[in-house]
Amino acid sequence: QVQLVESGGGLVQTGGSLRLSCVASGRAFESYAMGWFRQAPGKEREFVAAIGRLGRSRNYGDSVKGRFTISRDNAKNTVYLEMNSLKPEDTAVYSCAATGTSYRNTNPREYDYWGQGTQVTVSS
């Protein structure tokens, strides 16, 4: 079992930045590729970014490329999502997730463990 707890969400103006964190406990953190997903009201869950076990490989959704950066610190059992140039359409609940498959995996059904989510609201 892996428990995931996100933090860092909040209210920010258009063009602003936020940094989300996700701390893992339980089984070996470095055994999992980690991802961030988001879900806005009335919309399906959307892949945001994923990172490989060692932090060397990354994958981003098209809507966040060039603005968001995913990273991880295996010594701290933590994965981060640095979000810059935020837009109102980035408003959503952001959740981190762990998968035993690949960082290339963008399908939420392939992720085994999920955090409770943190709200990000971007005002126009």
Side-chain angles (χ1 to χ4, degrees), residues 1-46:
Q1 286 284 343
V2 175
Q3 293 80 42
L4 302 171
V5 179
E6 302 96 335
S7 62
L11 174 64
V12 64
Q13 291 186 333
T14 297
S17 299
L18 280 175
R19 188 195 198 199
L20 306 183
S21 300
C22 172
V23 179
S25 60
R27 296 184 61 184
F29 177 65
E30 60 271 20
S31 298
Y32 297 92
M34 298 296 297
W36 285 95
F37 291 80
R38 66 187 183 186
Q39 189 166 21
K43 295 189 176 181
E44 291 189 355
R45 184 171 283 174
E46 177 188 9

Side-chain angles (χ1 to χ4, degrees), residues 1 44 50 52-53 56 63 68 80 84 86 88 108 118 120:
Q1 286 284 343
E44 291 189 355
R53 291 167 176 79
R56 296 172 183 168
S63 61
F68 290 12
Y80 304 97
N84 297 314
L86 284 161
T118 185
V120 171

Side-chain angles (χ1 to χ4, degrees), residues 52-73:
R53 291 167 176 79
L54 299 180
R56 296 172 183 168
S57 302
R58 295 172 174 84
N59 186 20
Y60 294 97
D62 289 340
S63 61
V64 306
K65 281 180 182 176
R67 300 188 298 124
F68 290 12
T69 302
I70 188 171
S71 61
R72 67 189 293 167
D73 185 340

